Amino acid sequence: TIFIFPVGSQFNKFLENRFPIPQNMPPSVNGIIVLGGAIDQFVTKARGEISMNGSIERIFRFAHLASTYPNAKLVYSGGSGYLTRQDLKEADVVSPLLALLGVDTSRVIFENSSRNTYENAIFSFNLITPKKNEVWILVTSAVHMPRAIGCFRQAGWSQIIAFPTDFRFEGDEKFGPPLSFSKGFSRLGSAIYELLGLTVYYITGKTGSFIPEA
């Protein structure tokens, strides 16, 4: 079946390689945006302890960049992606983790209304209204960066630097059949999810190209 072929791994690797980690960062930037998706706000509230998932590297990078650029504006953009659960937003529970990582949370603008990547871009733009000459850094998972950067460009962020995180592949490996059915299924599911997102966003005009690139 399709699950034993490395289709998912190959497509995910392709997306991760679309935007390399920037090697020559500017001496100053106007702001840094990190997209939500690293925290389960519902488990966090229920347990009284921050519940993190496999995308937590983006939070660490956000904290590091906040320290590197102490005068930059900071935006955490993350509401709830659950249509039936809009009572609690990710941006509302992340402050303790940011503080633990040394981020001055008084610097952070918490955008908590977005339900998807397109709304991340639009709502953050409306909060900030960046000028055309402003330089901003966008932090999110590497596999998600093409769709995210496409949305931000389409929303009017004219100078946005992609800083991908949460890598799952070395980038130059050759794939054979996965060692386990569950791993092959998971990677295929992730690939289909992003492919559908890219397709729908392009067709509906939320991005300007099918698979945006650097």
Side-chain angles (χ1 to χ4, degrees), residues 55-132:
S55 299
I56 194 60
E57 290 98 326
R58 69 180 70 174
I59 307 296
F60 296 150
R61 178 56 62 183
F62 180 64
H64 176 258
L65 290 169
S67 175
T68 302
Y69 298 105
N71 297 318
K73 296 177 182 177
L74 305 176
V75 178
Y76 191 101
S77 179
S80 173
Y82 299 91
L83 292 178
T84 58
R85 298 208 64 181
Q86 292 295 315
D87 53 304
L88 185 62
K89 311 301 177 70
E90 182 176 344
D92 295 337
V93 304
V94 74
S95 287
L97 176 59
L98 293 177
L100 188 65
L101 294 173
V103 178
D104 178 0
T105 56
S106 68
R107 292 176 57 195
V108 183
I109 298 171
F110 293 96
E111 185 285 298
N112 68 355
S113 298
S114 54
R115 298 166 298 177
N116 53 52
T117 309
Y118 180 68
E119 290 185 352
N120 287 143
I122 293 294
F123 294 166
S124 295
F125 187 92
N126 291 340
L127 275 175
I128 302 300
T129 58
K131 300 180 176 62
K132 289 190 178 296

